[in-house]
Amino acid sequence: RGRAWGAPEGNLAATLVLAPGCPPATAALYSFVTSFSLYATCLAYVEDREAITLKWPNDVLLNGGKLAGILLESEGTMTEVGRLSIGLGVNLNALPDAAAIAPRALMPVTLAEEIGDAVDPLEFLAFFAEHFAHQDRFFREEGFGPLRSAWLERAARLGDTITARMGAEEVSGRFLTVDEDGQLVLETPGGRRSIAAADVFF
């Protein structure tokens, strides 16, 4: 979509490549595996766990500002994903260029500003790798249900009115839940709406 992905020095930009061998719908749920793993990683640095929330479908927020983003890319067939690349960027020590921030997007924040000290990107990556390995194993063994429940406990703006933008269409409604397929469920004036992919605005 022509958007910039900034990576200032001192932050973490990484790509994890998997060979999941699963259907595309299952591979899409790795945005939840990844965001919850980032949440768990941040708890090593942030004392107030209530300060960290998860924004559907692929952001981690700190005190309401954007701390991290996730991007999935897949290769394979219509029935099986042979390779899944999970890209993540975390604002550890530096803010991205303000000019690159899209209109209506949440303002970025850094982890260093929250804890009052610099964060070592390699240390953060090591913590994340440990948490991701645990969450990935749990997801493969137990399915999406338990992860969905844990993710919803940390969901940003659950119960509030939010706006989902799908191309030229925008839908506003009360954020009810995330369903068993990872879709955003909104209660709109026209009824309940399930959304598979969108940009979300508060």
Side-chain angles (χ1 to χ4, degrees):
R1 298 180 182 177
R3 296 175 182 168
W5 182 289
E9 186 175 350
N11 288 348
L12 174 66
T15 301
L16 173 62
V17 181
L18 305 177
C22 64
T26 302
L29 298 175
Y30 270 93
S31 63
F32 297 92
V33 177
T34 307
S35 63
F36 198 81
S37 299
L38 283 171
Y39 162 74
T41 303
C42 289
L43 293 181
Y45 300 88
V46 179
E47 291 185 7
D48 180 11
R49 65 177 56 223
E50 299 299 318
I52 310 165
T53 54
L54 303 173
K55 178 175 177 280
W56 185 92
N58 53 11
D59 290 341
V60 179
L61 309 184
L62 177 60
N63 296 320
K66 183 171 177 176
L67 178 67
I70 300 158
L71 181 66
L72 304 184
E73 289 189 2
S74 63
E75 296 179 23
T77 67
M78 295 292 290
T79 57
E80 181 175 302
V81 173
R83 181 161 61 182
L84 180 68
S85 299
I86 305 172
L88 59 139
V90 188
N91 298 327
L92 296 180
N93 299 296
L95 294 173
D97 183 0
I101 300 170
R104 300 171 64 187
L106 292 175
M107 294 304 295
V109 296
T110 68
L111 189 56
E113 123 189 281
E114 169 70 15
I115 67 174
D117 198 6
V119 180
D120 182 347
L122 291 180
E123 177 189 77
F124 187 94
L125 179 60
F127 287 154
F128 169 76
E130 181 179 346
H131 285 295
F132 185 90
H134 171 73
Q135 294 298 332
D136 181 33
R137 183 170 59 251
F138 190 66
F139 175 58
R140 290 172 185 266
E141 293 175 354
E142 304 296 332
F144 183 51
L147 173 60
R148 171 179 172 266
S149 297
W151 191 97
L152 282 168
E153 290 181 1
R154 304 303 321 135
R157 303 297 181 95
L158 185 64
D160 292 350
T161 297
I162 63 175
T163 299
R165 184 172 67 195
M166 300 84 70
E169 181 187 12
E170 286 197 358
V171 177
S172 293
R174 188 164 66 89
F175 178 13
L176 295 180
T177 190
V178 168
D179 69 15
E180 291 78 7
D181 297 318
Q183 296 185 100
L184 177 71
V185 182
L186 299 181
E187 186 67 57
T188 76
R192 189 169 291 197
R193 179 85 178 263
S194 296
I195 298 169
D199 290 319
V200 169
F201 302 95
F202 300 151

